[in-house]
């Protein structure tokens, strides 16, 4: 079974288990997405063509990851004007693995990726505190004592060169 879906102003032919790179869709890896704009559903025996959409059809997929396309160079030049401009552009993309093609008004199960584990109150209290930035604070020395002494020989060498 296969389907033709429309997303991001473009049309894609998809089949269950296949990967498709579409324009950026909000979500993280593992989230489920549904494409409601199905233009055609085809099988081994029959094909359903929408006018413009197939009613009751949807395509479910799982986000595999987010990435960017290769950089394209946009170069503009105005001849004999000593004028040129170069710009680069990278388009954001979402890689989606198609899980199933649904017909007859069925809706896909929407799921979110598991959230990152956050520290609870007990774990946060057990974390050691950050070490002080200055070594002087850790040893209790004054700030003046913690500074390294100047190198007098470098100053003396400069004055000897000037004479």
């Amino acid at each position: 079974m296969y389907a033709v879906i429309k997303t991001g102003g473009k049309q894609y032919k998809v089949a269950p288990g296949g990967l498709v790179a579409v324009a950026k869709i909000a979500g993280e890896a593992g989230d489920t997405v549904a494409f409601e704009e199905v233009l055609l559903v085809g099988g081994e025996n029959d094909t359903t063509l929408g006018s413009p959409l197939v009613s009751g059809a949807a395509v479910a997929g799982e986000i595999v990851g987010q990435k960017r396309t290769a950089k394209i160079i946009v170069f503009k030049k105005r001849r004999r004007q000593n004028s040129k401009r170069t710009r680069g552009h990278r388009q954001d993309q979402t890689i989606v693995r198609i899980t199933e093609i649904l017909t007859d008004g069925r809706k896909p199960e929407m799921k979110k990726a598991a959230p990152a584990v956050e520290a609870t109150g007990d774990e946060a209290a057990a974390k050691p505190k950050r070490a002080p930035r200055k070594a002087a604070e850790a040893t209790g020395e004054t700030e003046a004592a913690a500074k390294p002494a100047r190198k007098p020989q470098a100053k003396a060498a400069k004055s000897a060169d000037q004479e």
Side-chain angles (χ1 to χ4, degrees), residues 131-147:
R133 289 186 178 191
K134 296 180 182 176
E137 293 174 7
T139 58
E141 296 176 4
T142 63
E143 194 171 316
K147 287 185 178 178

Side-chain angles (χ1 to χ4, degrees), residues 19 81 98 120 127 162:
L19 290 175
Q81 302 298 317
I98 304 301
T120 61
K127 286 185 179 178
Q162 291 174 356

Side-chain angles (χ1 to χ4, degrees), residues 50-99:
S51 58
L53 303 176
V54 177
S55 62
V59 174
E62 179 182 352
I63 295 178
V64 175
Q66 308 279 1
K67 71 172 199 165
R68 299 180 80 190
T69 61
K71 180 181 273 191
I72 61 167
I73 303 297
V74 180
F75 181 76
K76 296 183 179 181
K77 182 178 189 311
R78 293 170 193 88
R79 64 184 189 159
R80 296 186 298 272
Q81 302 298 317
N82 195 23
S83 173
K84 58 186 175 182
R85 180 175 70 193
T86 303
R87 298 269 195 250
H89 176 74
R90 293 183 71 184
Q91 189 71 32
D92 293 327
Q93 282 187 335
T94 303
I95 309 299
V96 178
R97 174 173 284 114
I98 304 301
T99 55

Side-chain angles (χ1 to χ4, degrees), residues 9-20:
K10 297 179 182 172
Q11 298 174 7
Y12 302 92
K13 180 179 177 182
V14 297
L19 290 175
V20 62

Side-chain angles (χ1 to χ4, degrees), residues 27-45:
E28 298 177 6
D31 289 353
T32 302
V33 293
F35 301 102
E36 303 292 333
E37 295 185 351
V38 180
L39 305 173
L40 179 140
V41 176
E44 295 176 10
N45 300 329

